[in-house]
Amino acid sequence: MNGVALTVDVAAIAGEEPRSILLVERGNEPFAGSWALPGGFVEPGERVREAAARELAEETGVRAAGLELLGVYDTPGRDPRGPTVSIVYVMRSDGEPAAAGGDDAREARWHPLDALPALAFDHAAIVADAVSFAAGARRRTASGRDAGAAA
């Protein structure tokens, strides 16, 4: 790969108090057979939020709703194929929408947060950030503060 590749990932988290996350079993290298967040490469002319929704739907059959920007992940070496920057979104859901593996995902399944499998790439760190983000948003809402309000 020449240059830096742009990718997206979606951390779909179920439960008002985060309890599970949607993962896909990768069908292709690198990390074939490993679990990861749904995601993939941004196509030319595509906006990153649209790419995140597309990848979520293609790999899991789940329709994206209420995507919230989590962050940018760009640690050198995070992808063995070459330099990659990932824009990551969080999608919170009360329940666990039905999911099925599609496209390059062998399987899609909700996993309890207290029993996660080993994750590909740097997705364990991303999941930890996403769970903290979702739990923090819940606390802000419960306290009556808007997520964007100044402290």
Side-chain angles (χ1 to χ4, degrees):
M1 136 180 7
N2 294 326
V4 177
L6 181 60
T7 63
V8 291
D9 293 299
V10 177
I13 297 176
E16 184 176 331
E17 184 68 37
R19 68 174 181 275
S20 59
I21 191 161
L22 182 58
L23 300 174
V24 295
E25 182 182 8
R26 290 183 52 82
N28 298 330
E29 292 296 341
F31 303 109
S34 296
W35 291 93
L37 294 167
F41 292 98
V42 177
E43 296 177 354
E46 188 175 37
R47 298 179 74 113
V48 292
R49 185 180 297 271
E50 293 166 356
R54 175 184 53 77
E55 286 288 345
L56 181 65
E58 286 176 359
E59 294 187 351
T60 70
V62 173
R63 185 173 174 268
L67 293 176
E68 299 173 88
L69 181 62
L70 175 63
V72 176
Y73 292 79
D74 62 353
T75 302
R78 65 183 299 274
D79 188 325
R81 295 170 289 193
T84 306
V85 173
S86 188
I87 310 298
V88 181
Y89 289 91
V90 171
M91 183 184 94
R92 292 180 284 156
S93 173
D94 290 336
E96 297 176 352
D103 193 34
D104 55 352
R106 288 184 191 156
E107 184 178 354
R109 184 180 344 148
W110 291 92
H111 290 261
L113 290 171
D114 61 359
L116 292 177
L119 299 176
F121 304 104
D122 55 354
H123 290 190
I126 296 172
V127 167
D129 290 349
V131 170
S132 292
F133 176 87
R138 179 185 175 278
R139 282 191 297 275
R140 286 187 299 275
T141 302
S143 71
R145 288 189 53 213
D146 179 25

